[in-house]
Amino acid sequence: MNPIHITKQQADKASNKLVVTARIFLMSFVSIALIAGLIALSIGLVWNSYLSIYRGVDISSLGKEPPQSTVFYDSQGEIITELTNARMEYMPLAQFSPTVLEAIVAVEDARFYEHQGVDLYGIARAFYHNWKSGDTVQGGSTITQQLAKTMLFSSEQTYSRKINEAVASIKIEKTYTKDQIMELYLNYIYFGEGAWGLERAAKSYFGKTALELDLSEAALLAGIPKSPTNYSPVKKPEQAKERRNLVLSLMAEQGKITAAERDAAISTELKLTEQSPLKIAKNPSYIDYVMQEAIQKYKLTEQQILSSGYQVYTTMVPKVQQAAEEVYGDSSLFPEDAGGLQSGVVLMQPQTGALMGIVGSRSPQQDFRAFNYATQIKRQPGSTLKPIIVYAPALSEGFGTRDRIHDVETDFGGAYKPANYGNKLHGWVTVEEALVQSYNIPAVALLKEIGIDKGIEFASKAGLPLEPEDRTLGIALGGMSTGTSPLAMAQAYTMFANNGNMAKAYAITKIVDRHGRLVGESQPVLEPMLDPNVAFTMTKMLEKVVNEGTGQSAQMDRPAAGKTGTTQLPDIPEFKDADGNQIDGSKDAWFVGYTPEIVAAIWLGYDKTNKDHYLTTTGGKYPAALFKEVVTRALLDEPIVDFAKPEAYAAVVGGGKKINGEQEAIMLAAAAKKKAQAEKQAELAKAVAASSKSDAKADATKANAKDTKDTKASSKDSSKDSSKDSSKDSSKDSNKGSSKDAAKSTTAADKASDSKKTDSSKQTASTSKASEPSKTQASTKPASSSTSKKDNDNKDTKNQTAIKPAIKPVSKTTNTANDSKKSTSTK
């Protein structure tokens, strides 16, 4: 082979190799560049995402002023109570024991003072354990991250939340110092059993401040935040002790305590203070309503009220509130309690509407913001509604106390027939009597008379929550579809005690924030409702309710007025006895009354009425007695004053009007009809008896006439045979003359008889209504003995003929009587 040729081949190989190498290098360079670019791009994307999250995280809530208690004051400026949210009592870091700080750091975040919000080692550890288990079972959160989760995020265990939480922690670390972060953490973290923050936890579990905790106690509290449910020393003391011992061991390992201190603390027995329910505010029913008013009227939230350090000034009168609470705490004043009997009372100042006292439950221990039976319940008010929806509007429309209402069974249309208590009727009664005795039928009749729309309009203006379906006459008796509350009823009754002006209820006079700035304030609001004369007339009638009527249990040693109210049990099978009769019981009992100083409304009943829980009392018994007891105590040592009479007072008396009178006419017509029917029956019976007697006489007369005829015929034949020949001519002349005379005599007798019969018929016609027996007796009277037998037969026969047409067609009896009356009146 030619050496030159070989050298050329080698050169070509070397050249190709160089090209390949260059290509490989170029491709490697491009790949590295691409990878670097991708890495840079990824880093850029991650960085941009981080910056986006970082900028989006709002940690401003950490810098807000810590919550402060809100203070409530009574009408005299004295503190009633202080309230704060149940989550925490904020304390500065210096008020926490150093031992507690070391215990918290040891178990929750050993590298707290080294990392910048995120502990990468802790995150890696959590990621590894979660990857092995296939679920999120462990976290690597630092104290800063836990603070972020508690105050900024939810507690869900997801990677997205963890990423946001980590970025927020970095931002928190750049904004706050470690001591500030630790202070926030110890005040906001949850320690179980309703205790937020270390200070509240120390008081709740050990009855001491966080500064007073010893090593064992500090270690136990430090172990709770990991899982407050599983490590609760109240519910799971053994698990709590195991967790405490773990905390002590970690502290010893980290050199925070000695082994001897650890062992001594581990051997210490767990001693918890006696657990008591969360602190309930003093006068809870009243404070609950104050909070509700602040929320509705001043647009504050419950959280704001409990944490913003407000000063709330109220209208509560301590003496009045105390009197109501004392009465409601005395079970002897509620004797018919079948278990769960509830009641509520509202006491107002009639001149201003200021709420002086509220008790909304009989429960000895009331939960915070519990249901308030004085302000929140909706029940039918029964007859306590009558003064508002019937009598006050009626007096305003010109009716008076002496006008009369007919208390009779009345169908008001649609088969609505209300009944009075005990199903008693009282005839004509005055408007005043109807109200004093709480008669139902007169109330409905009076509402119908004035017009239901006027009553509805007036009651709605008085603040009662009426619905469109309440537009029925049954509303006169308190038949509201949704019902009302003692608060609403007390407010409505202020119009009677305040010269016709209704005072709007309110409990807050003003609210001031922690910096002394006015948040809001209230002044009395009066709504004109009645002419003062009408209002005072209503008061006088309602005084009689207490002194003479259904509310006598409310009588006291000072002027008082008011109205009772009771609602029936539902007409359903549950409230029937074995015979199917309605049980004698009530669902609700009310009394709404007032003195010159106080208006009070009381409701009594069960939360759920059933066959085992219903009232056997009325509003005139226990509610009226409760009114007396509460108001008497509230006004103890207060001077006795009378209701103020308006200037130039003129009582609204009336007296000339009659209501429901058309019912009297209907009843009289019905009675007259019944009487006429009875008289017709009596007349018919007597006529039938007379007819039977006449028929018997007629039959006897016919028989006698037949016998006489046969005798005459026999005589005639005998005479004819014996003197046929000797006296034919003589007899002929004699008989001729005799017959002529007899005929004249008979004609005269018949005329006399007819004349006598005519007079008798006239007399009968004129006396038919008064004495039907006389008529029958006169027409059937036998003739005198001087009248011939033939004449008697003819007279009886004519009299019988005259009687029969009046007897046999019975259907014409009424017409005959009417005709007789007509003839008599014409005469």
Side-chain angles (χ1 to χ4, degrees), residues 69-74 78-84 279-284 286-288 290-291 310-312 314 316 368:
S69 298
T70 290
V71 183
F72 296 83
Y73 299 88
D74 62 28
E78 298 295 327
I79 294 177
I80 303 172
T81 191
E82 293 185 29
L83 285 184
T84 184
K279 181 181 177 182
I280 303 299
K282 187 180 178 183
N283 312 126
Y286 195 95
I287 296 301
D288 278 352
V290 169
M291 291 186 62
Y310 290 119
Q311 297 178 67
V312 182
T314 75
M316 192 191 87
F368 179 67

Side-chain angles (χ1 to χ4, degrees), residues 334-348:
F334 300 85
E336 295 188 10
D337 187 355
L341 181 64
Q342 278 295 351
S343 183
V345 59
V346 169
L347 299 108
M348 293 176 61

Side-chain angles (χ1 to χ4, degrees), residues 265-305:
I266 288 176
S267 63
T268 302
E269 287 298 322
L270 187 63
K271 294 181 180 180
L272 301 177
T273 187
E274 183 178 350
Q275 289 291 304
S276 59
L278 291 178
K279 181 181 177 182
I280 303 299
K282 187 180 178 183
N283 312 126
S285 297
Y286 195 95
I287 296 301
D288 278 352
Y289 180 75
V290 169
M291 291 186 62
Q292 190 64 31
E293 186 172 301
I295 291 170
Q296 294 178 346
K297 188 172 183 179
Y298 298 100
K299 309 305 179 185
L300 300 176
T301 66
E302 182 176 306
Q303 180 66 19
Q304 287 176 316
I305 297 170

Side-chain angles (χ1 to χ4, degrees), residues 34-52:
L34 287 173
I35 292 172
L38 289 173
I39 292 173
L41 180 61
S42 298
I43 292 172
L45 290 174
V46 170
W47 178 252
N48 287 333
S49 297
Y50 165 77
L51 291 177
S52 176

Side-chain angles (χ1 to χ4, degrees), residues 426-504:
H426 309 89
W428 284 103
V429 297
T430 65
V431 168
E432 181 178 76
E433 183 183 356
L435 175 59
V436 170
Q437 301 301 333
S438 199
Y439 297 151
N440 291 334
I441 297 172
V444 177
L446 185 55
L447 178 61
K448 180 181 179 182
E449 186 74 15
I450 66 173
I452 189 172
D453 288 333
K454 284 187 171 62
I456 292 285
E457 181 182 358
F458 187 85
S460 297
K461 188 179 178 182
L464 299 183
L466 296 174
E467 303 292 339
E469 52 267 33
D470 290 330
R471 195 187 176 282
T472 66
L473 288 174
I475 195 66
L477 310 183
M480 297 175 66
S481 57
T482 58
T484 187
S485 67
L487 175 64
M489 293 302 295
Q491 176 180 273
Y493 268 62
T494 60
M495 75 174 85
F496 304 134
N498 193 34
N499 292 319
N501 295 310
M502 185 181 72
K504 298 293 185 67

Side-chain angles (χ1 to χ4, degrees), residues 265-414:
I266 288 176
S267 63
T268 302
E269 287 298 322
L270 187 63
K271 294 181 180 180
L272 301 177
T273 187
E274 183 178 350
Q275 289 291 304
S276 59
L278 291 178
K279 181 181 177 182
I280 303 299
K282 187 180 178 183
N283 312 126
S285 297
Y286 195 95
I287 296 301
D288 278 352
Y289 180 75
V290 169
M291 291 186 62
Q292 190 64 31
E293 186 172 301
I295 291 170
Q296 294 178 346
K297 188 172 183 179
Y298 298 100
K299 309 305 179 185
L300 300 176
T301 66
E302 182 176 306
Q303 180 66 19
Q304 287 176 316
I305 297 170
L306 295 176
S307 62
S308 299
Y310 290 119
Q311 297 178 67
V312 182
Y313 295 85
T314 75
T315 60
M316 192 191 87
V317 179
K319 183 180 178 181
V320 175
Q321 181 68 27
Q322 182 180 355
E325 291 186 356
E326 286 177 354
V327 169
Y328 272 68
D330 186 350
S331 59
S332 68
L333 297 173
F334 300 85
E336 295 188 10
D337 187 355
L341 181 64
Q342 278 295 351
S343 183
V345 59
V346 169
L347 299 108
M348 293 176 61
Q349 186 178 59
Q351 293 77 20
T352 64
L355 288 166
M356 306 168 76
I358 298 173
V359 175
S361 174
R362 290 190 60 234
S363 303
Q365 291 185 344
Q366 298 182 40
D367 295 332
F368 179 67
R369 304 285 281 145
F371 186 80
N372 194 319
Y373 291 93
T375 62
Q376 293 176 300
I377 196 169
K378 301 291 184 183
R379 290 294 181 94
Q380 291 186 344
S383 293
T384 60
L385 189 62
K386 290 176 181 177
I388 301 170
I389 203 163
V390 178
Y391 292 96
L395 265 60
S396 296
E397 290 296 314
F399 290 90
T401 60
R402 295 180 187 172
D403 288 327
R404 294 191 296 161
I405 310 173
H406 205 209
D407 182 17
V408 294
E409 182 178 346
T410 306
D411 186 343
F412 289 99

